[in-house]
Amino acid sequence: MKRTPLELAAIATAAVPGLQPTAVAASPDDATDFDAALLETADGRAWRIRCPRGTEASARLETEMTVLRAFDPAVRAELPFQMPAVAGTVRMDGLTTCVYTNLTGTVRDLDALASGSDRLAREIGGTLAAIHGLPQELVDSADLPSYTANGFRQRRLNELDQAATTGKIPAVLLRRWEQAMEDVTLWRFNPTVVHGDLHEDNLLIDDDRVTAVTGWTDLRIGDPADDIAWLVGSNEPKFIDAVLAAYHEARKEPVDPQLARRAALAAEFALAQYLVKALALGDQEVARDAEAMLAELAADIEASEAAEAESARAAAADDGSGEGTEASAPENGRPAAEIPRTADPAPATDALPLITDGRREG
């Protein structure tokens, strides 16, 4: 059941004794899983409430509370950004609702970030590097998920099998993703701490600085590309390259040559994850939206593969022979491992970001 901002304000007073909101506004935040709002009290302080719509979303909030407790003051002091603090919780109908003290900064949409200054791009790259540089003991001590590179690849294959059982994923996408996930050379990376739900709505910006990172519901050790997938939706190669350059500089580790390609794959595959989640929740409207975006992505890929095949045939004809033509397309079209960095559309969840034509929806 969707809750209105006024209902959320009433729930917040139960979570934080003595809280007396004087103003409230809706604050969309992973709308598939949560109802959320911003509150203001008479003393001028701001608060944020997230109310889960189901048991899975409630479990994510409880995980976030565990994560935030694991970040003791010494760890937080080393980070270049602020993190949320839980001011209070309340349990209703078996679900946990959280109220947070609000943080400095505002959310900017993806277009605004991509058209921002070079300083902002460096800030985002540095923020990613700081997250991925966190000690893995934080995740281990909180008993959160931890994957090896091959273990994570196998997890993706299992998710692909689950998506395929819906019968709603276009064949060209299933083939493309399976080929990429079976290509072990794409999955040679050093696992790091991963935010797991990173996108523009979880970054707070003030004066071209990343002041805070929110949404710590999916922290794990896994593929750092997952935290970069949301950038793909900007369709701005210059912005993406600037962020990744700052990221690699701050990480001071060997560059992962497949990072951007796995990020693009994750951005595409998130549409399938979004569909699976919508079907599990019985949300037919969202499921139809996901199916439409999957069909659009499939059409784009088929058109691209056809153009590449035609180009290869033309090159072979000019040569007078197809032998030795490196540009010739493979029998089944473009290899799935050749995931374009600016793949379109991309996802979004707070957990699955939805990106179409470079814009994030939901």
Side-chain angles (χ1 to χ4, degrees):
M1 179 183 69
K2 182 176 176 61
R3 299 184 186 274
T4 67
L6 287 176
E7 289 173 327
L8 292 173
I11 295 171
T13 63
V16 182
L19 184 69
Q20 296 182 342
T22 57
V24 60
S27 176
D29 178 3
D30 192 4
T32 302
D33 281 344
F34 301 100
D35 296 314
L38 290 177
L39 313 173
E40 188 174 305
T41 50
D43 59 4
R45 296 181 65 189
W47 312 74
R48 181 165 159 262
I49 180 172
R50 297 180 91 192
C51 183
R53 293 187 177 179
T55 55
E56 181 184 350
S58 180
R60 289 176 61 203
L61 285 185
E62 291 170 9
T63 297
E64 182 176 45
M65 287 191 291
T66 300
V67 169
L68 295 177
R69 282 195 295 268
F71 282 82
D72 60 38
V75 174
R76 291 180 182 237
E78 294 296 319
L79 294 172
F81 51 80
Q82 294 178 304
M83 294 181 63
V86 177
T89 64
V90 62
R91 197 159 177 83
M92 300 173 55
D93 301 324
L95 305 178
T96 299
T97 292
C98 290
V99 176
Y100 309 82
T101 54
N102 202 39
L103 299 166
T104 303
T106 58
V107 172
R108 298 185 188 176
D109 65 29
L110 191 54
D111 286 345
L113 294 178
S115 61
S117 67
D118 291 342
R119 176 188 177 188
L120 180 56
R122 290 194 299 271
E123 279 277 317
I124 295 171
T127 296
L128 288 165
I131 293 171
H132 296 168
L134 285 165
Q136 296 191 7
E137 292 77 13
L138 277 174
V139 174
D140 293 334
S141 63
D143 198 27
L144 296 172
S146 178
Y147 301 94
T148 63
N150 190 57
F152 189 79
R153 183 180 71 89
Q154 188 58 55
R155 178 195 180 199
R156 279 285 186 260
L157 281 166
N158 294 341
E159 291 175 334
L160 179 61
D161 289 342
Q162 182 184 14
T165 63
T166 67
K168 298 179 181 295
I169 309 294
V172 66
L173 297 182
L174 289 175
R175 183 184 72 241
R176 173 180 173 85
W177 294 339
E178 183 177 26
Q179 287 178 342
M181 293 174 192
E182 293 284 5
D183 180 4
V184 294
T185 64
L186 192 63
W187 301 91
R188 291 171 181 162
F189 64 88
N190 293 322
T192 68
V193 173
V194 174
H195 179 281
D197 189 21
L198 198 62
H199 50 79
E200 65 272 23
D201 286 352
N202 282 336
L203 297 178
L204 297 183
I205 311 295
D206 183 46
D207 191 26
D208 283 350
R209 289 184 55 251
V210 177
T211 55
V213 178
T214 61
W216 297 84
T217 56
D218 297 279
L219 193 74
R220 58 180 177 264
I221 295 173
D223 185 359
D226 277 7
D227 283 348
I228 294 167
W230 64 281
L231 292 170
V232 172
S234 70
N235 286 330
E236 292 288 347
K238 182 179 178 182
F239 170 65
I240 297 171
D241 289 346
V243 171
L244 291 181
Y247 169 79
H248 288 302
E249 181 180 359
R251 285 287 286 153
K252 294 183 172 59
E253 292 189 354
V255 173
D256 177 352
Q258 307 292 357
L259 182 69
R261 293 169 69 197
R262 292 198 313 278
L265 171 63
E268 289 184 9
F269 187 62
L271 286 176
Q273 295 170 311
Y274 183 65
L275 173 65
V276 169
K277 174 178 277 189
L279 292 173
L281 293 174
D283 192 329
Q284 294 304 313
E285 181 179 355
V286 172
R288 286 192 295 271
D289 186 38
E291 286 184 67
M293 285 186 289
L294 284 163
E296 182 181 351
L297 175 60
D300 287 346
I301 289 171
E302 287 176 330
S304 176
E305 290 181 345
E308 289 179 3
E310 179 60 30
S311 177
R313 283 193 293 271
D318 288 344
D319 244 5
S321 167
E323 294 181 7
T325 303
E326 294 183 1
S328 60
E331 181 180 351
N332 292 325
R334 178 174 53 195
E338 293 298 323
I339 302 293
R341 180 165 51 200
T342 54
D344 172 350
T349 167
D350 213 354
L352 299 169
L354 305 179
I355 305 171
T356 307
D357 296 331
R359 295 181 181 275
R360 184 177 185 278
E361 300 176 359

